[in-house]
Amino acid sequence: MRKRWACGPFWLTYLFLYTPIAVLVLMSFNKADTPYSWGGFGTSWYGELARDEAIRQGLVNTLIVAAGSTALATVLGTLLAVGLARHTRSRALVALATLPAILPDLVLAIGLLAFYSAIQATLGLHSVLAAHTVFGMAFVTTVVRTRLTHADTSLEEASRDLGAGPFTTFARITLPTLMPGIVAGALLAFTLSIDEFVIAFFTAGPKEPTLPIVIYSMVRFGVTPEINALATVLLAVSFTVVIAAQRLTRLTDSIG
Amino acid sequence: MKPEPTAVPSGAPLVEIEGVTRSFGDVTALDRVSLEIRQGEFFALLGPSGCGKTTLLRILAGFDQPTSGEVRLEGRDLLALPAHRRPVNLMFQSYALFPHMTVAKNIAYGLERERLPREEVRTRVAEALETIGLSSAAGRRPHQLSGGQRQRVALARAIVKRPRLLLLDEPLSALDKKVRAEMQLELKRLQHEAGITFVVVTHDQEEAMSLADRIAVLNDGRVEQVASPTALYQRPATVFVADFVGSNNLFSGTVRGSGVEVPGLGVVPAPAASAEGSAVRLAVRPENVVLGSEGPGGTVVDTVFTGGTSRIAVEVPGVAQPVLVTVPGPASVEPGLPVRFTWKSEDAVLIEEGDAA
């Protein structure tokens, strides 16, 4: 029989991971005005959240940035990954392509701000979108490249052997076999963009803050349980995305 | 454009490979290889791994270019055509079936690239599925098929294009024994029915012998011998072929009168040799060695009963390798017994030392 106490550390780490989140969810159903004491069960803060114009606008901005940067990052990152795998053997180029993913956000943020002011670009949603494309692309490249290095190159040879030119082979064979990697990379870029704060804070215009910036300015004026309600909603969305991604990769893996 | 099949007299060369050399840096994978593959034949490239057979296959398919040399198909330069314009198809060792497409889509892929009318594609795919007996699996995906079925699909996908030349990379290696035997017959039947020239690449001599009309044995990037399976077995031209194809007793010796003097054995029977005193190698198949009351002697060290036949190993003082003898049925001798053995002079094969690779 397995020793029971051996499971202890396992459950302890889980407790450590999820206690704060459990407290957060619980407190979002708090009737009281402060997030620190319990005043009975109620969903009033969710109603408050729905009526909050600043948060609604922040959410819209964030979704525009996340969707736009994900679309761009997915296309560019996939092309970069294929180019790296097929046309170069340089390890340095690979490292440089994926560097923005591990670079401290602050470095990227300062660099982008310096770049924008150098080219005298106006700041707004477009500048955040471009900034998020930069690091999203690095993540997509990393994920797609991993899939590419494990891919069976004989599939592309078989396509050529059967009479397909380079373009048809890319569209009909290479892309579909890379699809699970591309989807995973896109989901990663999307979720990272949604809650990205540092780079957005540096590159956003004053009139179009993204959701994390809105939350930050709310917190500065004191925390209300509305924040908890918002966090719970975001949590639910993240969980849905993660589970959907897992389902999707399992599905595409069984095909690919 | 794809040339229409023309009536080429059987026996005419379909593929001419002339002085093909392929080097990767300091390594020479192919060294001045010249071969002729005839129209309609089942040809095998046989050799150990690293002998260059796969490189030659990739050159024929168009995935690799030789450093020097020429390859012609029906008299025309094949090397000038990119892989997707050659009337040559390859069945990959890994089958390389497209995982995201159904069986029918896999088979249709090559025909769709030729921009054939939809109706024709559909009929030809249906015919191909019929031929390989997988009509009911048309809508399945490759991962839902067994190994043998996948191979049939890979074969159908290549054959449906009606290539002038079909290349097969180790076609039987991934199959278990029972499916292998089935597939072997199937390949021969298909080759006969389709009338396509097949070139199979393999390291497995049994695979080559059972399938091919002619076999080219490659070693170290060079062609050792090109012959029919029977000739290759009975009359190996080099020591490498004698050793690689089937099992053989190989002796080094000197020509003495009507025989060969082998250290430890004395003068043993051998076919008529060229010059007295020249150094030669003698190859004798175990099944041609006869146990009896005359000839050189030794001690039985081991007997193995394999069903139809038994293999007896005889140790002879002064001879490095035990002499192998194959007899029908169970062995009549036991380990430890002294025996004498001999063979008919015409059953031994003389290989000039200079030929040793």
Side-chain angles (χ1 to χ4, degrees), chain A residues 147 152-166 168-177 251 253-256, chain B residues 58 61-63 83-86 88-90 92 94 96-101 105-106 109-113 141 143 157-158 161:
Chain A
R147 178 110 194 151
D152 185 359
T153 50
S154 66
L155 289 184
E156 289 178 357
E157 285 183 346
S159 170
R160 281 204 282 153
D161 185 67
L162 293 166
T168 314
T169 299
F170 183 76
R172 299 284 311 266
I173 306 301
T174 314
L175 269 189
T177 47
L251 199 75
D253 265 347
S254 69
I255 294 167
Chain B
R58 292 180 62 81
F63 302 138
H84 63 279
R85 294 200 202 284
R86 292 187 185 191
V88 175
N89 285 114
L90 168 60
F92 289 76
S94 64
L97 296 178
F98 305 132
H100 55 289
M101 294 183 193
K105 277 275 164 205
N106 261 283
Y109 188 82
L111 298 176
E112 284 165 1
R113 302 286 81 76
R141 293 193 189 255
H143 70 100
R157 189 177 70 174
K161 297 261 297 174

Side-chain angles (χ1 to χ4, degrees), chain B residues 38-347:
Chain B
R38 294 174 199 148
Q39 173 67 39
E41 79 174 330
F42 206 134
F43 195 82
L45 294 169
L46 173 67
S49 62
C51 73
K53 57 189 192 300
T54 305
T55 308
L56 188 55
L57 182 89
R58 292 180 62 81
I59 286 173
L60 288 173
F63 302 138
D64 201 355
Q65 285 284 336
T67 314
S68 64
E70 281 176 47
V71 180
R72 283 186 297 275
L73 183 89
E74 291 173 323
R76 269 169 293 191
D77 184 13
L78 187 66
L79 299 175
L81 294 174
H84 63 279
R85 294 200 202 284
R86 292 187 185 191
V88 175
N89 285 114
L90 168 60
M91 194 187 89
F92 289 76
Q93 187 179 8
S94 64
Y95 311 147
L97 296 178
F98 305 132
H100 55 289
M101 294 183 193
T102 62
V103 167
K105 277 275 164 205
N106 261 283
I107 298 174
Y109 188 82
L111 298 176
E112 284 165 1
R113 302 286 81 76
E114 291 176 36
R115 306 194 186 283
L116 293 175
R118 246 186 221 179
E119 204 43 51
E120 191 183 343
V121 172
R122 203 173 313 147
T123 12
R124 274 169 74 174
V125 169
E127 273 171 23
L129 281 167
E130 185 85 29
T131 317
I132 56 164
L134 280 174
S135 297
S136 56
R140 283 197 221 154
R141 293 193 189 255
H143 70 100
Q144 296 169 306
L145 303 177
S146 71
Q149 289 174 326
R150 275 181 218 186
Q151 172 149 50
R152 278 162 211 265
V153 175
L155 191 61
R157 189 177 70 174
I159 278 187
V160 81
K161 297 261 297 174
R162 297 181 189 150
R164 308 296 295 136
L165 178 68
L166 182 72
L167 309 168
L168 303 106
D169 192 2
E170 309 264 356
L172 303 177
S173 65
L175 302 175
D176 59 49
K177 215 169 179 182
K178 214 177 152 190
V179 188
R180 267 176 93 106
E182 246 170 59
M183 204 59 211
Q184 209 162 293
L185 289 174
E186 181 113 0
L187 278 176
K188 288 201 105 159
R189 178 179 69 86
L190 275 172
Q191 198 257 342
H192 191 73
E193 280 177 10
I196 298 171
T197 308
F198 277 33
V199 173
V200 57
V201 156
T202 178
H203 68 276
D204 181 347
Q205 42 136 337
E206 241 177 76
E207 192 170 321
M209 300 278 241
S210 61
L211 289 171
D213 301 322
R214 286 197 309 147
I215 300 171
V217 180
L218 264 72
N219 178 37
D220 233 356
R222 287 170 204 237
V223 179
E224 294 268 336
Q225 188 176 4
V226 186
S228 71
T230 334
L232 207 60
Y233 189 81
Q234 290 176 342
R235 292 280 167 259
T238 67
V239 172
F240 177 83
V241 174
D243 199 34
F244 188 74
V245 179
S247 54
N248 238 326
N249 293 300
L250 278 166
F251 308 106
S252 299
T254 333
V255 177
R256 287 274 176 270
S258 62
V260 168
E261 188 180 353
V262 177
L265 293 180
V267 177
V268 292
S274 43
E276 172 86 10
S278 57
V280 290
R281 298 288 285 266
L282 196 64
V284 189
R285 295 278 174 202
E287 63 268 28
N288 290 331
V289 181
V290 196
L291 295 178
S293 53
E294 48 183 314
T299 318
V300 175
V301 283
D302 191 27
T303 67
V304 181
F305 180 55
T306 56
T309 57
S310 296
R311 173 150 294 191
I312 302 162
V314 180
E315 203 170 62
V316 182
V319 179
Q321 295 280 326
V323 176
L324 298 175
V325 187
T326 306
V327 295
S332 51
V333 292
E334 276 168 35
L337 280 177
V339 288
R340 286 177 172 281
F341 56 87
T342 185
W343 52 80
K344 289 187 205 145
S345 59
E346 67 266 27
D347 283 340

